[in-house]
Amino acid sequence: MTIPADDPVYPLCNSRDLVDGGRAVSFDVVYAGQTCRAFAVRYLGQPHAYLNRCAHVAMEMDWQPDRFFDDSGRWLLCATHGAVYAPDTGACHAGPCRGGLVKIELVEHDGVVHWRSQYHLKPLEF
């Protein structure tokens, strides 16, 4: 897949850094004007990324740094509320959720995973 030159994409990590059902790669974004943590995971061979914000109450979800999957590697869990999310869509599967996770579009190209900026989702400016 080629990445069009005019698309706002930002390198996130090497493809090999994301292993199915394994550790996430965390990163910071500006979402609707606020600095937020986000994370990327790999599930069934495809990379997926979301804001690190439970849909029940806007708290970070990882139960240990960069750990979001349950023991089976099948579901993303909120350590605080017990909400369970589908890793490929961010949809709420069980537990106290109000909707799903905020998805961040990823593009994988030449061994690198990039995230795509959107109108409400921007990179941090230093």
Side-chain angles (χ1 to χ4, degrees):
M1 166 185 259
T2 59
I3 301 171
D6 58 343
D7 282 351
V9 295
Y10 302 92
L12 174 60
C13 64
N14 290 317
S15 294
R16 69 178 174 271
D17 294 337
L18 295 177
V19 177
D20 270 347
R23 282 186 173 272
V25 171
S26 294
F27 58 108
D28 291 317
V29 297
V30 175
Y31 177 72
Q34 293 183 325
T35 300
C36 299
R37 294 294 284 167
F39 66 96
V41 294
R42 188 174 299 278
Y43 179 69
L44 297 178
Q46 297 299 311
H48 302 279
Y50 303 96
L51 288 184
N52 187 356
R53 182 183 282 187
C54 183
H56 175 230
V57 175
M59 296 180 67
E60 291 189 3
M61 298 175 20
D62 37 346
W63 50 275
Q64 289 183 353
D66 299 327
R67 296 285 188 175
F68 294 88
F69 280 104
D70 67 357
D71 290 340
S72 73
R74 171 63 185 98
W75 302 104
L76 301 175
L77 299 177
C78 174
T80 303
H81 307 110
V84 179
Y85 299 94
D88 53 346
T89 65
C92 181
H93 175 71
C97 322
R98 294 184 186 113
L101 300 176
V102 176
K103 190 158 181 83
I104 300 170
E105 186 180 346
L106 296 181
V107 177
E108 192 167 17
H109 176 68
D110 288 340
V112 178
V113 176
H114 300 79
W115 67 276
R116 187 179 306 277
S117 182
Q118 300 162 344
Y119 75 95
H120 61 289
L121 190 67
K122 304 290 182 199
L124 288 179
E125 293 188 21
F126 295 98

